[in-house]
Amino acid sequence: MAIQKQNYVLGRGRLYFDDGEHGERYIGNTPEFNLSTATEFLEHFNSDEGLRNRDRNIVTQINYSGSFTTDHIGPENLAMLFMGEATTLTQTSLTGETDTFTAGVAYNWYQLGTDAANPAGKRQVSNVSVSADPSGTPVSATEGTDYELDAERGRLQVLEGGALDGVDFEVTYDVDATSRSVVVSGARQVTGKLRFVSANPEGAGDQRDYFMPNVTLSANGDFALKAESDWQAIPFSLEIAKTESAEAIYADGLPYTP
């Protein structure tokens, strides 16, 4: 008896997302990618005599969905996680900026340059000068004795027993011209096209690529900023829908010559 050769597949491949504006972006390493199907039925039962028997079972609805996890923690993936935008923030050089803080608390950190336009604060500061009790008799503070400075992040820490401990203080500083990557959360629905390009180490004789022309991505689960033994990973869920001109899922084998 002839038996068809079995195709046992160990799945591997790369996942690409197209937001409709910039072509297909490689999402990065994806340890997991799953597709799910949920089917709803309308049943009919014949009750004329004896036991009630089901005589019809009609499919009324099919929902395609899925999920994937990526451990490529890039700005574009973070933007999808937070439904926001990934941008480059350009900081112009400034001189003589001044911030005033009330009743310095020992061991606490204070961020320089926060405002409505830049709530996270300035970065890369220089020529920092700190004075205690600016509204009374100002006293110059000394770095390493009265405060610690993280100039790259624009942060200052009050030291216990120093001139800033328990009193108001003022910080004057310059801001260097720099650029940095920034991801800002929002409410932008992430929709587009999703393509999975297979690279199976087993079952390679039937490499099959999956294309979904209409998906909606959303974050689904924890994003561990800190963990003892795991790599950071971002979990996503996806809803898959048809369009007016295309079906929900296409599973394409590689071309061959008949």
Side-chain angles (χ1 to χ4, degrees), residues 15-18 25 27 33 66-68 77 80-81 83 188-194 214-220 235-240:
L15 200 57
Y16 298 83
F17 179 70
D18 182 356
R25 178 180 68 84
I27 288 177
F33 177 40
S67 64
F68 67 88
N77 288 342
M80 293 198 306
L81 168 66
M83 299 178 67
R188 181 177 63 90
Q189 192 171 51
V190 183
T191 59
K193 304 172 184 178
L194 196 67
N214 184 19
V215 302
T216 300
L217 302 183
S218 59
N220 180 26
F236 289 98
S237 62
L238 60 135
E239 296 299 325
I240 307 167

Side-chain angles (χ1 to χ4, degrees), residues 69-91:
T69 299
T70 178
D71 53 15
H72 170 52
I73 314 301
E76 295 86 358
N77 288 342
L78 287 174
M80 293 198 306
L81 168 66
F82 298 132
M83 299 178 67
E85 299 287 345
T87 61
T88 298
L89 177 63
T90 299
Q91 177 178 275

